[in-house]
Amino acid sequence: MSSSTFPRMTIDIDLLAYNVQKISRLCHENGIELVGVTKLSVGNSQIARVIRQNGADKLGDSRLKNIVKFSQEGIAGPYQLVRIPMLSELPMAIKYVDEFLVSMPQVVYEIDTIAREVQRNVEVIYMVDVGDLREGVWFERAVEEIYEVYKNLTFINLKGIGTNVGCYGGVLPTKENVDTLLSIKKELERLLGYELAVSGGSTVTLKMLEEGKLPKGVTQFRIGEGIFLGTDATGDRDIPYLSQDTVILEAEVIEVDQKPSVPVGNIGKDAFGRTPHFENKGMRKRIILAIGEQDVKPDGLKPIEKGLEILHASSDHLIIDTTNSEKTFRVGDVVKFRMNYGCALRAFTSPHVEKVIVNG
Ligand SMILES: *Cc1c(COP(=O)(O)O)cnc(C)c1O
């Protein structure tokens, strides 16, 4: 490895491949197609290729730019745009996206029109909101709206229906909300006369599959977090058969000192409008790392070394209490962390965090 700088994150390509293989096996054993969702990695083609080559049947991304990049760099599709599209991006999207998630008649008609003009067949999955309150037609209106849309299509295929849980409302997937989706599928199939795909899940839905509790009829999962992090934020767990060490963040120590645990002076608000609170624990051993809010979400950092307590982060500095650690820290040392989803998202997105692909 040449001159890599800190902060940096290492992405272990073998562990990434391992996670995809595990998830794809679980999906495929249950007759489910796996869309590997790459949005976390901000268009990194090497990562996308590994995900596609190790069991993902399709690649999904929320940003058209990433899909265009993958396509131009020769990464195999098909590609699913996992965010319902902006009208303004449709002319470009039609050229690269194979499968759209949609939630409004107006948008589907626009896709239909543009696809007909350029003679490129694309598929749409109509999103149904079963209660999480993010995208999708409200489930009580779904059959009526989707049937009406189907009747008005002139060129593209209505491939199926889909849903999203755990995103806004934090709603967990249950037999009840999956059954709601499946009863909509049944009714629509009767009206349309053909079988519909059901795109039914994200990382949080894996649990139902593991426990054999997923009702029959779901045909596709869209998985991101589980592949990258081996965790399930909505279900609040480490997924036991996946690796949590695929993505590791490393930051460098720039100060080592002992200071009081309570500041000296009058307390105002911190740089982010927060009012800090302090408990007097006497003098404490502390380190400062050259990383901050611009690079990570500090409350989503999980130090690998035991006994480290994250005290505070500003834009560029992270303060850690090391009093309970057995390790003696020196300036120039590197401290390693696992990250939760939100923190990893910021780290992948920050231009200040170097990304280094490593092998097992
Ligand atoms: C991000 C996203 C996913 C993947 O979710 P994970 O929790 O990362 O597995 C699936 N579907 C949609 C619509 C998404 O935006």
Side-chain angles (χ1 to χ4, degrees):
M1 226 172 315
S2 56
S3 60
S4 120
T5 58
F6 297 99
R8 65 176 204 172
M9 57 199 294
T10 55
I11 301 112
D12 185 318
I13 225 73
D14 293 340
L15 293 178
L16 186 73
Y18 175 85
N19 282 355
V20 185
Q21 287 163 13
K22 284 282 188 180
I23 293 171
S24 71
R25 194 165 313 150
L26 182 62
C27 288
H28 293 160
E29 281 168 2
N30 287 277
I32 288 171
E33 169 187 74
L34 174 63
V35 178
V37 177
T38 50
K39 65 189 182 205
L40 197 59
S41 56
V42 199
N44 185 310
S45 297
Q46 205 177 340
I47 290 176
R49 183 178 288 115
V50 169
I51 292 175
R52 182 68 177 87
Q53 285 179 344
N54 283 277
D57 305 291
K58 293 178 177 164
L59 291 176
D61 206 289
S62 51
R63 310 288 169 149
L64 179 58
K65 262 190 192 159
N66 294 340
I67 291 177
V68 171
K69 181 164 179 275
F70 294 155
S71 170
Q72 289 173 346
E73 291 176 10
I75 312 296
Y79 301 115
Q80 182 187 70
L81 187 62
V82 301
R83 183 171 65 190
I84 50 177
M86 296 182 264
L87 284 177
S88 61
E89 69 187 352
L90 281 181
M92 180 73 142
I94 292 286
K95 297 184 191 154
Y96 292 96
V97 173
D98 302 290
E99 197 168 287
F100 287 90
L101 305 185
V102 296
S103 70
M104 289 181 67
Q106 183 195 351
V107 177
V108 189
Y109 298 149
E110 189 67 17
I111 293 175
D112 190 44
T113 303
I114 300 177
R116 180 159 31 84
E117 278 167 17
V118 302
Q119 291 289 303
R120 181 165 191 273
N121 211 339
V122 296
E123 301 189 293
V124 297
I125 292 181
Y126 213 101
M127 297 299 277
V128 178
D129 185 345
V130 295
D132 192 52
L133 302 183
R134 204 176 73 178
E135 75 274 43
V137 53
W138 189 244
F139 65 93
E140 290 164 328
R141 285 188 279 110
V143 171
E144 191 187 348
E145 181 170 308
I146 296 171
Y147 184 45
E148 183 63 25
V149 165
Y150 164 78
K151 285 190 292 188
N152 288 314
L153 291 181
T154 65
F155 187 74
I156 62 171
N157 299 320
L158 177 67
K159 181 184 180 186
I161 58 174
T163 197
N164 198 62
V165 286
C167 275
Y168 172 67
V171 169
L172 292 164
T174 56
K175 186 175 179 324
E176 286 69 38
N177 52 35
V178 177
D179 279 344
T180 300
L181 193 67
L182 291 173
S183 70
I184 293 167
K185 163 193 156 90
K186 252 198 203 122
E187 218 174 316
L188 279 169
E189 284 178 342
R190 199 176 46 77
L191 292 167
L192 273 51
Y194 63 91
E195 251 183 74
L196 290 172
V198 177
S199 184
S202 54
T203 296
V204 66
T205 324
L206 283 172
K207 184 116 192 238
M208 292 182 84
L209 209 53
E210 293 159 26
E211 295 174 343
K213 287 183 181 156
L214 189 76
K216 272 217 144 5
V218 176
T219 62
Q220 181 187 80
F221 271 20
R222 312 175 305 266
I223 308 276
E225 183 187 358
I227 292 174
F228 281 92
L229 303 176
T231 55
D232 167 7
T234 309
D236 191 22
R237 64 174 184 141
D238 287 349
I239 301 173
Y241 51 91
L242 300 178
S243 169
Q244 285 80 44
D245 289 325
T246 306
V247 178
I248 300 290
L249 181 89
E250 302 177 343
E252 185 172 332
V253 178
I254 53 173
E255 182 184 295
V256 181
D257 205 349
Q258 296 219 33
K259 289 187 187 174
S261 37
V262 177
V264 176
N266 296 328
I267 310 284
K269 297 212 186 259
D270 77 0
F272 296 88
R274 305 170 289 209
T275 306
H277 294 280
F278 299 94
E279 193 187 329
N280 194 349
K281 299 182 186 170
M283 291 295 280
R284 304 295 285 180
K285 285 200 238 173
R286 325 164 340 138
I287 56 177
I288 299 179
L289 303 184
I291 194 165
E293 292 274 0
Q294 202 162 27
D295 314 286
V296 288
K297 265 181 70 138
D299 61 3
L301 285 173
K302 305 179 237 183
I304 292 176
E305 181 84 31
K306 286 197 177 59
L308 304 189
E309 187 196 350
I310 295 171
L311 292 180
H312 189 81
S314 48
S315 310
D316 315 296
H317 300 77
L318 183 77
I319 309 171
I320 297 182
D321 185 322
T322 63
T323 313
N324 295 331
S325 168
E326 286 166 11
K327 191 174 149 82
T328 305
F329 287 90
R330 293 188 178 80
V331 153
D333 280 353
V334 170
V335 182
K336 296 186 180 190
F337 303 87
R338 297 195 183 96
M339 293 178 280
N340 73 9
Y341 188 81
C343 184
L345 180 69
R346 191 174 295 173
F348 267 113
T349 310
S350 172
H352 304 298
V353 179
E354 183 161 348
K355 284 80 182 173
V356 184
I357 307 269
V358 296
N359 287 92

